[in-house]
Amino acid sequence: MPPNDSKQTRTAEKILRRVKHLRDYMQPGEIPLLAVPTIWDSGKEQRTTPCEVIVTNQRLIGYYAVDFPRRRRFLEERSLSTINSVTLRHKTYEPLFRELMVSDGQSKLYIRAPRRQIEALYSALRSATEQYVPAASTTFEDTPPSEEVRPATPPPTSAYGRQDIRTPFSGSPLAIALLFVGGLVIEVIGFGLWMMTQSLQAGLPLFIAGLVAVLTATFLRRQRQAIK
């Protein structure tokens, strides 16, 4: 067995042992090449999903399995053959994280992780696409004159790129999260002050301020998802 095949087999078995129940969802001939913990955002859920992202020789998979306290599974996938654009994005307001945008022409998937993991994911996805997705070839045939011969359509190709995203901190997920949590804290303080002093005038302003902060954070979050 060639050294590369042996190394690939060991890596695949290591991933299958580490990621719970992943073996049950593998397709015939499918080999996991890389698994990294990330945040998966496909827009299908109301919130982002922390999960393992697995690159195989056939698919890009977002997956997790939990058995306790109740059985839960999450699995979303993108076939490597349908991916036509992969962009590695660096956002200035998120110094610790990088974002990978994957598009199949119909929808966009956002994957966030620390720099080392996202760089490894980017490299593995590019390598798997180039190695395992065969380039489409055009076949020419003689046809009767009555049949219309349509010009061959060039095969879709996967594009890879990097972007430096410069966006104000006020619109970042971190700022929205801080605003939401801060609003909740202010609400609790206002309510506690009201109960301690039995004075509505003492606690109500803080409670209202916290409520406004929470509602604003919720609005910004939905607005950001709509822009995507």
Side-chain angles (χ1 to χ4, degrees):
M1 180 181 294
N4 287 342
D5 290 347
S6 177
K7 181 179 179 181
Q8 186 181 86
T9 300
R10 290 196 301 269
T11 300
E13 284 300 321
K14 184 178 179 181
I15 293 172
L16 291 172
R17 286 195 302 268
R18 181 173 66 84
V19 183
K20 185 181 298 184
H21 303 306
L22 177 62
R23 195 184 301 269
D24 299 338
Y25 298 94
M26 290 290 97
Q27 297 177 352
E30 190 168 22
I31 304 171
L33 307 173
L34 178 75
V36 293
T38 69
I39 298 174
W40 180 280
D41 184 4
S42 63
K44 295 181 180 179
E45 304 287 337
Q46 292 185 351
R47 62 186 67 183
T48 56
T49 305
C51 66
E52 293 276 350
V53 168
I54 299 101
V55 178
T56 76
N57 60 335
Q58 299 178 17
R59 297 180 291 171
L60 174 67
I61 304 171
Y63 171 82
Y64 73 74
V66 177
D67 293 332
F68 183 83
R70 61 185 180 88
R71 188 175 185 271
R72 288 182 292 132
R73 298 288 186 271
F74 171 82
L75 191 149
E76 288 187 9
E77 61 179 339
R78 297 290 188 278
S79 173
L80 296 185
S81 61
T82 64
I83 295 174
N84 60 18
S85 176
V86 178
T87 304
L88 180 60
R89 311 204 300 178
H90 173 206
K91 298 183 177 181
T92 55
Y93 57 79
E94 292 182 351
L96 299 179
F97 282 77
R98 300 292 185 271
E99 183 177 80
L100 202 64
M101 183 179 71
V102 180
S103 173
D104 58 6
Q106 302 295 326
S107 61
K108 292 180 180 179
L109 164 67
Y110 299 89
I111 302 172
R112 301 182 186 92
R115 179 176 180 176
R116 180 178 298 179
Q117 282 84 352
I118 212 73
E119 289 278 1
L121 180 60
Y122 177 84
S123 299
L125 186 57
R126 182 170 188 171
S127 176
T129 302
E130 294 174 349
Q131 182 176 355
Y132 295 105
V133 179
S137 58
T138 303
T139 302
F140 294 88
E141 297 180 353
D142 287 335
T143 57
S146 59
E147 293 186 21
E148 179 183 359
V149 180
R150 297 185 179 181
T153 302
T157 58
S158 297
Y160 293 81
R162 296 171 182 260
Q163 291 182 352
D164 188 6
I165 308 299
R166 299 184 179 274
T167 306
F169 176 76
S170 58
S172 69
L174 178 59
I176 295 173
L178 289 175
L179 183 62
F180 184 83
V181 173
L184 290 178
V185 172
I186 293 174
E187 283 187 27
V188 172
I189 293 175
F191 183 77
L193 189 61
W194 177 18
M195 297 300 294
M196 289 175 59
T197 62
Q198 296 297 315
S199 173
L200 186 62
Q201 294 180 347
L204 186 60
L206 285 177
F207 184 84
I208 293 177
L211 180 61
V212 170
V214 170
L215 293 177
T216 302
T218 303
F219 171 76
L220 291 174
R221 169 68 177 174
R222 292 181 178 177
Q223 186 180 49
R224 189 171 183 273
Q225 289 181 336
I227 292 175
K228 288 183 179 181

